[in-house]
Amino acid sequence: MQRILLIKTSSLGDVIHNCPVIADIRAHFPNVEIDWVVEDAFADIPRLHPQVKNVFTVAMRRWRKALFSPKTWQEVSEFKNLIQQNQYDAIIDCQGLLKSALITKQARGVKHGYDKNSIREPLASWFYDKTYNISYQQHAVTRNRALVAMSLGYAPPTNAPDYGISSKTLKNNTSNIASGSRMGIGLQSIYIIAFHGTSRDSKLWPASHWVELGKQLAKQNLSLVLPWASDAEQVRAQAIHAQVPNSEILPQLNIHELAGVIANAKAAIGVDTGLSHLAVALNIPTVAIYTDTNPALTGLLAGAHTEAINLGGVAKTPNISEVLTSLKKIL
């Protein structure tokens, strides 16, 4: 086994969930080279992993919106030529969607994936040379690790996942981000990073709860740091900041820059968003707040070197006291 290609394109949380398979692979094949195909918006995640050699990016979301553009087909052709330059011992589609199966089909080598009973889009399983039955009734990280293990012929691991992203490297490389002029603020104090934004309004925690949480943290000399990625998130961050002493709003950062800020946090508190999973992958103690989804299958799964607590669930909104108690536990 000399070269392996992983297909896991999106979204942020799903890409992070796939990171532990790299340590699993290297434990059995220490000298193997691992490449990864990912959406360009999330490419910073595999690039942060020191054991991923090549990161190939696609832009499926953008391409679908411009199917008749010559530029789209030029980019598709360039990607196809790039990915076909290597012969792989194993190509593993950890995404399990028709779009990722089509990408898998373009690469050269034996193609592995979920069987028709283990996959969200059964048609995708037709594009694989070998398929595997893996139960849905387990965490997404566990499913990924099991698929890769079965594809490569070793027993599915049962140890705590190793996400492999080097927080030490991030802290060193991004120390200037936390204190430099680009930030416009000083983050040398002890701070908790708050992931208050998410993809659906039903998954939000009330702004009033964030305000009260921030006030309670201020009494403990803990600063609340508020990132944002959209106009709506910026407005919410400003509303929280206006009422919370000892809080700061970050400028708009890319994933790599934000990872550096996360890596320097004392802890993270977040709703159901990929950034909460990123904090766990960076070994930052994290409390996750669920209000409209079930964390049993896609909630935070802590690695061997940190702690994480999932609170709430469908129609179960955690209160401020629960969050503070959980934060105290993980600290």
Side-chain angles (χ1 to χ4, degrees):
M1 193 69 62
Q2 297 182 2
R3 180 169 289 219
I4 295 169
L5 179 64
L6 302 175
I7 315 292
K8 190 73 165 185
T9 59
S10 61
S11 58
L12 179 58
D14 292 336
V15 173
I16 294 167
H17 284 161
N18 204 50
C19 286
V21 307
I22 299 171
D24 297 341
I25 294 170
R26 293 298 294 265
H28 293 85
F29 306 100
N31 298 317
V32 73
E33 293 182 356
I34 301 172
D35 296 342
W36 190 318
V37 176
V38 65
E39 279 277 346
D40 52 4
F42 308 115
D44 279 346
I45 299 304
R47 284 174 181 155
L48 287 171
H49 202 298
Q51 294 179 341
V52 174
K53 183 175 182 180
N54 296 305
V55 177
F56 303 118
T57 62
V58 293
M60 301 292 283
R61 299 177 181 185
R62 177 165 53 82
W63 292 342
R64 283 200 302 267
K65 295 178 181 178
L67 284 176
F68 300 104
S69 168
K71 182 181 178 182
T72 294
W73 291 104
Q74 180 183 350
E75 291 180 1
V76 171
S77 177
E78 290 173 351
F79 167 75
K80 183 177 179 180
N81 291 336
L82 187 63
I83 202 174
Q84 289 183 342
Q85 290 179 3
N86 300 311
Q87 176 72 35
Y88 291 98
D89 296 291
I91 304 159
I92 309 173
D93 181 7
C94 301
Q95 192 82 38
L97 298 175
L98 185 57
K99 66 176 183 180
S100 58
L102 290 171
I103 294 170
T104 303
K105 188 68 175 176
Q106 304 308 311
R108 296 193 300 130
V110 180
K111 300 163 180 65
H112 304 260
Y114 297 103
D115 72 7
K116 64 180 181 179
N117 298 313
S118 308
I119 201 168
R120 191 186 308 171
E121 298 179 2
L123 183 60
S125 64
W126 291 21
F127 291 85
Y128 312 135
D129 299 312
K130 298 183 179 182
T131 60
Y132 309 92
N133 184 271
I134 299 172
S135 172
Y136 274 110
Q137 302 306 310
Q138 51 189 336
H139 195 278
V141 171
T142 306
R143 268 174 57 86
N144 291 336
R145 298 177 78 189
L147 173 63
V148 173
M150 296 171 74
S151 299
L152 301 181
Y154 59 85
T158 57
N159 60 324
D162 177 3
Y163 291 90
I165 298 175
S166 176
S167 60
K168 180 179 179 181
T169 301
L170 274 169
K171 288 179 180 179
N172 292 338
N173 290 347
T174 60
S175 58
N176 291 331
I177 290 177
S179 59
S181 58
R182 186 200 185 317
M183 298 293 291
I185 55 175
L187 293 178
Q188 290 84 1
S189 61
I190 300 174
Y191 60 88
I192 307 295
I193 191 160
F195 306 125
H196 56 91
T198 186
S199 58
R200 296 201 313 262
D201 287 351
S202 60
K203 298 194 292 185
L204 294 173
W205 204 42
S208 59
H209 286 26
W210 285 112
V211 169
E212 183 57 33
L213 176 68
K215 291 178 178 178
Q216 294 297 323
L217 294 176
K219 293 177 182 178
Q220 303 175 41
N221 295 318
L222 293 171
S223 176
L224 191 69
V225 170
L226 301 160
W228 59 275
S230 66
D231 291 344
E233 291 179 9
Q234 184 181 25
V235 169
R236 188 184 310 107
Q238 291 169 339
I240 296 169
H241 172 61
Q243 302 178 68
V244 177
N246 205 30
S247 66
E248 298 287 355
I249 301 176
L250 296 176
Q252 192 171 27
L253 303 176
N254 61 38
I255 291 175
H256 187 275
E257 292 171 327
L258 187 53
V261 178
I262 296 170
N264 285 281
K266 185 173 183 64
I269 301 172
V271 293
D272 183 4
T273 171
L275 294 176
S276 297
H277 297 282
L278 179 55
V280 169
L282 291 168
N283 295 319
I284 301 301
T286 305
V287 176
I289 299 168
Y290 290 85
T291 62
D292 192 44
T293 47
N294 181 2
L297 301 181
T298 57
L300 302 187
L301 186 62
H305 308 295
T306 192
E307 292 190 62
I309 295 177
N310 296 309
L311 298 175
V314 179
K316 297 179 181 178
T317 301
N319 60 41
I320 300 160
S321 177
E322 290 177 284
V323 174
L324 287 169
T325 299
S326 296
L327 181 63
K328 184 177 180 180
K329 287 180 180 179
I330 62 175
L331 293 179

